[in-house]
Amino acid sequence: MRFRSDSRKPGESMDGMVKRIRDQGYTSANTITRMGSPNPWLVAPEPEIAEFKAALKKYDVTIFDVHVYVNNIHPDSSERRKNLSHTARECEAAERIGSPMVTTHTGSCSTVSPVTIHPANWTAETWKTSVTSIKQILRDTAGMKVCLGIEALNLININNPRAHKKLMEDVGDPRCKVCFDPTNMLSIEKYFHATEIIEEGFDLLGEDILACHAKDSLITPDRMSAYLTQVPPGEGVNDYETYLVRLSRMKWPRTLLI
């Protein structure tokens, strides 16, 4: 389950909010605060944070990550600095509530969004900027336990398991981890190789995968120009049997966010 800064109902206690999550059938959740909005976890008083952590334990719910949707390699250096600062602040929020990971993306050379295709997204210079940006976030949050889980996106430079592995190697910090999303690694030429991507991901990344996403990919058929889109799990080509088997073999349970 994902909840935003307004997910807590007026007058609702922290205990009540977590109970509501569990009553809906969820055992894990994450949180996201949009850029420019105050993060409720950073402004909540200590007694509320203590109540929240106690409720998580009481109802057996985990907050597996804090999601950050910003462009960490924005081509405008001033905008990039703002985004990197925002990601670092979200790490502080994750640390405060005991979430093990902040999930983010490297980003795009486009000014439109972190996920927009751009001809420079796969250049050597962009890769260098990506590594530098992730290193900066980890330096700015040195001493924290929270990890930085990078999520792949089809249209940027982290879009396959090998890119994940190389980023971790080039960053060289044990807190650089993975939020695994095989759907975000599928392209038209890889459309019928979803099983291979899942197997390669777990083989290469293993226990560095801290959480996973569940969605699916589908090509709109019967057109000269194919259109690849995202659909709910089970309505596309992702091999969920292999995905769930590989997840079941990990050393401790991971969250699978639908």
Side-chain angles (χ1 to χ4, degrees), residues 13-62:
S13 66
M14 289 289 188
D15 185 279
M17 181 177 67
V18 176
K19 182 179 185 299
R20 180 161 50 85
I21 292 170
R22 194 65 175 86
D23 287 347
Q24 292 178 66
Y26 298 103
T27 58
S28 192
N30 74 344
T31 177
I32 182 170
T33 302
R34 292 297 184 187
M35 184 83 168
S37 300
N39 189 307
W41 307 113
L42 291 176
V43 298
E46 285 298 335
E48 284 195 349
I49 296 295
E51 180 190 356
F52 180 65
K53 290 181 177 179
L56 292 174
K57 185 175 182 179
K58 175 181 176 181
Y59 298 110
D60 193 23
V61 174
T62 61

